Amino acid sequence: MSKPRPLGSLLFYAGYFGALLILGAPLALISIPFPLRQRFAILNIYNRFILFWLRITCGIEYRFSGVESLPDGSFVMIANHQSEWETIILHTLKPPLCTVLKQELLNIPIFGWGLRLIKPIPLDRSQPAKMLKKVLKIGGERLDEGLSVLIFPEGTRVPPGQKKPFSKSAAMLACRAGVPLVPVAHNAGEHWNPKTWIKNSGVLSLRVGPAIPTAGRRADEVIEEAQNWIEAQLAEISAVPRPQEDKAQPTQATTETEATH
């Protein structure tokens, strides 16, 4: 059963911000002269500490499945977006993985400095007409470099029990580059609710799906398959009931809000 952990949450945030200063900042400085892959490994020390500290302080049990099926080469990863937790854990699964994110995050002291070191794809939300072109251009360059790309196709955090159509930009990028699309489902928002500082105990599940081939396929077909898989997993792992199927199709072709996490 999931239970609020106010005391544990206080301890978590004490460690979270303390580690940002004591661990995160020095690691960012240390990582600068290293090649990108080694830089990811160094910065992920901080991420792994945060995941460990959350589990210990807030009584959360992690259950992962499918991680071993991640492709060996470059891929585009998509995941439902409920909290900050998935932005941390997904970078540790198979780095290097660069993320599409809102440009403002790069200006946050210490945190933003670390982000700049791992070649993200920052988007300016004041220029929505240019966002899709930038994702396709820079995302394609990252894939050519041997990196993988993470996109949250809902475009913003969606609370547990709610549903939003997926943007097609991730599938468009994967289809253009000829790389697989990897879907990920999780119920992190039930334990790390971004609207409150209090974390909840319980079982936090993350499932990585089989890589979806994109060669010779349309982006709308690929993203529909990915969203259907994610929705099926959420129906199994979520304590909050999923919304009734409304037959809505993922018709968003742009990234208007795709960088809000």
Side-chain angles (χ1 to χ4, degrees):
M1 295 293 293
S2 177
K3 295 182 179 180
R5 291 294 185 97
L7 179 58
S9 299
L10 286 174
L11 291 172
F12 168 72
Y13 277 113
Y16 179 94
F17 292 113
L20 186 62
L21 294 173
I22 299 172
L23 189 61
L27 286 175
L29 291 173
I30 292 170
S31 72
I32 291 175
F34 285 87
L36 187 61
R37 291 181 184 274
Q38 286 74 25
R39 198 179 299 164
F40 267 90
I42 293 170
L43 294 175
N44 268 334
I45 295 173
Y46 169 77
N47 287 335
R48 294 182 189 281
F49 170 79
I50 296 302
L51 296 168
F52 162 80
W53 190 238
L54 176 68
R55 179 170 61 85
I56 295 298
T57 57
C58 298
I60 297 175
E61 178 184 350
Y62 297 153
R63 291 184 183 171
F64 300 154
S65 66
V67 177
E68 68 284 350
S69 66
L70 284 168
D72 290 331
S74 299
F75 54 86
V76 176
M77 176 183 285
I78 64 168
N80 61 303
H81 197 16
Q82 295 183 351
S83 72
E84 186 178 340
W85 183 84
E86 60 269 20
T87 67
I88 299 173
I89 184 65
L90 293 178
H91 282 94
T92 70
L93 298 184
K94 196 158 190 177
L97 182 73
C98 60
T99 307
V100 173
L101 47 73
K102 60 184 180 182
Q103 188 168 279
E104 300 93 302
L105 291 175
L106 300 182
N107 298 324
I108 300 175
I110 303 178
F111 179 79
W113 305 340
L115 284 178
R116 289 177 183 273
L117 294 173
I118 53 176
K119 304 188 76 169
I121 304 173
L123 300 182
D124 183 353
R125 292 179 298 174
S126 67
Q127 299 180 315
K130 298 181 179 180
M131 291 171 67
L132 177 60
K133 290 183 179 179
K134 189 170 184 179
V135 168
L136 295 178
K137 180 179 183 297
I138 301 181
E141 293 172 355
R142 297 287 190 267
L143 293 169
D144 288 341
E145 295 172 26
L147 309 179
S148 295
V149 176
L150 169 63
I151 297 178
F152 294 102
E154 292 161 308
T156 188
R157 294 188 181 108
V158 178
Q162 297 184 27
K163 184 178 179 180
K164 184 179 178 183
F166 283 12
S167 164
K168 292 194 297 184
S169 60
M172 293 173 67
L173 174 61
C175 288
R176 285 194 178 194
V179 300
L181 184 74
V182 177
V184 176
H186 62 85
N187 65 338
E190 297 172 14
H191 306 277
W192 186 324
N193 184 341
K195 294 185 178 180
T196 177
W197 61 273
I198 297 178
K199 306 290 182 282
N200 295 319
S201 63
V203 178
L204 197 166
S205 297
L206 179 142
R207 295 182 178 180
V208 178
I212 299 173
T214 62
R217 303 182 67 187
R218 301 192 314 272
D220 54 354
E221 175 189 353
V222 172
I223 199 65
E224 182 178 5
E225 180 179 342
Q227 184 167 12
N228 288 341
W229 185 89
I230 289 175
E231 187 60 34
Q233 305 311 305
L234 290 176
E236 294 182 6
I237 66 177
S238 300
V240 179
R242 299 299 299 161
Q244 294 297 314
E245 180 60 50
D246 58 6
K247 305 301 181 181
Q249 296 298 318
T251 56
Q252 292 175 295
T254 67
T255 55
E256 287 186 22
T257 58
E258 200 162 70
T260 57
H261 75 279

